Amino acid sequence: MATAIAKAVGVESVEHAARIENVSKSFAGPAGQQLVLDDITLDVAPGEFVTLLGASGCGKSTLLNLVAGLDRPTAGSITTDGRPALMFQEHALFPWLTAGKNIELALKLRGVPKGERRSRAEELLELVRLNGSYGKRVHELSGGMRQRVAMARALAQDSRLLLMDEPFAALDAITRDVLHDELTRIWAETGVSVLFVTHNVREAVRLAQRVVLLSSRPGRVAREWRVDIPQPRRIEDAPVAELSREITEVLRGEIRRHGQH
Ligand SMILES: Nc1ncnc2c1ncn2[C@@H]1O[C@H](COP(=O)(O)OP(=O)(O)OP(=O)(O)O)[C@@H](O)[C@H]1O
Ligand SMILES: [Mg+2]
């Protein structure tokens, strides 16, 4: 998959799950063109877990949408290893389908034969620890369970790259904590690459191998940190708290500079 894309653009090496090169994005606003992202360059290596951190409105979702191919950059280029899977804050499950059928739909769209879909959906439900929930309808599931189904559905696409936009932001702290553990386990088990957007510093440090901080107005890569704390981490672990404090200081500086809250 990556080879075909790389060949098309004449790139030799495909040692990346996503390659974002000199990407800028402007939107037309009442006061003319508004530059939201300015010259972003960022690679995600195969199997790497990167969090994209920044203040509200700095352009995180805009960048993720560009990587997903939902919109085009104004300048620069983006290549990915195949088509990425997406997961948002809102689960976006179809309420008229059961948990299992929501997953099967994703399998169908990627061409998995009918006879294999049911067992594959059951396996994916098991992976997100929802064994026995195949026949449950969306309204019968808790918020945390819905996000688990959404994760299973994203994994059903069998993508090499998972794009996540604040997928746990609407959940309570304890459920979020459990889902952090699950995501870390699934990432380790599947080897999928993850680009995870959040404005929660602790969450960014809890999950990632690398935290990339975006500045605001326009969004630029302000700084990045490699996180060498061994997994599984806990959000309350001292090294997580310590690095989070350091990153928060830099983030505060960014927010002060741009007069945001
Ligand atoms: N389709 C669009 N048309 C015009 N402006 C847009 C569009 N999409 C995003 N913007 C603007 O781009 C900026 C960045 O928005 P974006 O949603 O990417 O921020 P964010 O970092 O994801 O914020 P949050 O943390 O609140 O989700 C905002 O000023 C927003 O108004
Ligand atoms: Mg956003």
Side-chain angles (χ1 to χ4, degrees):
M1 289 179 290
T3 323
I5 293 167
K7 271 189 188 140
V9 296
V11 178
E12 289 287 303
S13 159
V14 289
E15 287 305 301
H16 60 274
R19 169 158 285 178
I20 302 165
E21 287 178 291
N22 307 109
V23 162
S24 298
K25 179 70 182 172
S26 303
F27 290 111
Q33 289 289 313
Q34 182 202 358
L35 183 63
V36 171
L37 295 173
D38 185 23
D39 198 21
I40 308 263
T41 292
L42 171 68
D43 277 4
V44 179
E48 193 181 19
F49 198 130
V50 177
T51 48
L52 203 56
L53 180 69
S56 183
C58 78
K60 303 179 296 294
S61 297
T62 301
L63 184 58
L64 214 68
N65 288 345
L66 293 175
V67 177
L70 298 175
D71 199 358
R72 286 173 178 277
T74 310
S77 68
I78 296 176
T79 51
T80 56
D81 182 359
R83 186 198 291 263
L86 285 167
M87 188 177 162
F88 300 105
Q89 182 173 340
E90 296 298 326
H91 57 76
L93 298 170
F94 293 117
W96 60 88
L97 295 177
T98 61
K101 290 291 180 194
N102 265 284
I103 298 168
E104 283 189 25
L105 183 60
L107 295 170
K108 182 180 176 183
L109 290 173
R110 108 171 140 83
V112 174
K114 196 163 197 261
E116 292 171 27
R117 286 181 215 148
R118 167 91 196 214
S119 60
R120 186 68 192 123
E122 303 264 20
E123 277 169 30
L124 285 161
L125 283 168
E126 202 171 311
L127 184 65
V128 297
R129 298 195 208 266
L130 275 184
N131 325 31
S133 296
Y134 180 93
K136 291 237 168 74
R137 290 200 180 266
V138 174
H139 74 267
E140 296 177 279
L141 303 169
S142 70
M145 290 163 93
R146 290 174 198 181
Q147 287 309 79
R148 284 173 192 260
V149 177
M151 211 187 310
R153 187 182 55 177
L155 294 165
Q157 295 171 42
D158 207 25
S159 299
R160 301 298 310 137
L161 175 63
L162 187 54
L163 303 174
M164 306 181 93
D165 194 351
E166 313 218 31
F168 309 138
L171 302 175
D172 65 85
I174 294 168
T175 307
R176 195 183 315 141
D177 212 35
V178 173
L179 284 170
H180 286 159
D181 290 347
E182 302 290 22
L183 177 58
T184 306
R185 175 183 59 81
I186 289 166
W187 164 67
E189 276 180 30
T190 60
V192 69
S193 316
V194 183
L195 185 56
F196 186 106
V197 160
T198 181
H199 55 242
N200 181 327
V201 182
R202 287 265 191 139
E203 177 172 64
V205 174
R206 156 71 186 86
L207 291 170
Q209 293 176 300
R210 193 151 56 95
V211 176
V212 177
L213 178 67
L214 285 191
S215 65
S216 301
R217 296 184 182 176
R220 295 190 178 116
V221 175
R223 243 179 98 171
E224 61 176 71
W225 288 262
R226 194 153 277 292
V227 189
D228 289 324
I229 307 161
Q231 293 279 15
R233 302 167 194 155
R234 303 233 60 94
I235 212 150
E236 66 276 7
D237 284 348
V240 172
E242 202 176 309
L243 181 56
S244 299
R245 249 194 310 276
E246 181 188 328
I247 296 175
T248 303
E249 275 309 304
V250 181
L251 181 57
R252 283 211 184 104
E254 281 300 323
I255 291 170
R256 267 197 300 272
R257 196 173 17 243
H258 297 280
Q260 294 206 337
H261 308 285

